[in-house]
Amino acid sequence: MDTYLRLSQAEEQVFVAELNRIEPSEREDIMEIVTSWMEQGIEQGIEQGIERGSLQATRSLIKRLLPRRVGALTEPINTQIEGLSLTQLEALAEALLDFSDRADFERWLATQDAT
């Protein structure tokens, strides 16, 4: 459906021209459909934005807390953390409270590669 919402400037001009050729009552019906699609697209965008924000905030918090528990994070570990999903990051946030050393963290990370 989002394919239909993304019009180039030329396509939009054609759409408006065609819309102007249609009877006013039919035009209203078409615009209701377009508006509905736009609303759905906006809602989807908001949901994705919230999810991305949550992912970034969780990742940032973990990157601040982990070094206090296991020492400095290397670039490969940072890369692995960047690749974790929100669900995995949330699990890591809980698990890091139980880490007593870097080996605990590395074992936890190794189990994430397997999933």
Side-chain angles (χ1 to χ4, degrees):
M1 176 167 34
D2 66 357
T3 301
Y4 297 108
L5 295 176
R6 295 181 186 168
L7 301 178
S8 68
Q9 188 174 9
E11 291 169 330
E12 189 171 339
Q13 289 173 348
V14 169
F15 175 75
V16 171
E18 291 296 320
L19 195 58
N20 287 331
R21 292 178 13 165
I22 297 173
E23 293 294 322
S25 62
E26 291 179 19
R27 190 177 318 147
E28 287 178 25
D29 291 341
I30 291 171
M31 290 311 294
E32 284 180 25
I33 293 170
V34 171
T35 301
S36 171
W37 285 346
M38 289 174 67
E39 287 171 355
Q40 289 176 353
I42 290 168
E43 287 175 19
Q44 184 180 16
I46 289 170
E47 289 173 12
Q48 289 174 349
I50 290 169
E51 186 173 327
R52 284 185 191 141
S54 182
L55 179 68
Q56 290 173 348
T58 304
R59 187 178 290 133
S60 176
L61 179 60
I62 286 172
K63 285 184 171 185
R64 287 194 320 268
L65 294 177
L66 259 174
R68 297 179 74 177
R69 190 59 112 177
V70 302
L73 303 179
T74 64
E75 193 54 40
I77 287 176
N78 272 320
T79 301
Q80 283 183 288
I81 292 170
E82 289 292 325
L84 296 176
S85 69
L86 180 57
T87 303
Q88 290 171 313
L89 290 168
E90 289 169 342
L92 175 55
E94 291 179 24
L96 73 83
L97 296 173
D98 297 326
F99 297 158
S100 56
D101 56 25
R102 185 177 206 87
D104 290 339
F105 170 58
E106 289 173 354
R107 277 190 292 278
W108 184 92
L109 243 152
T111 65
Q112 300 311 298
D113 290 339
T115 57

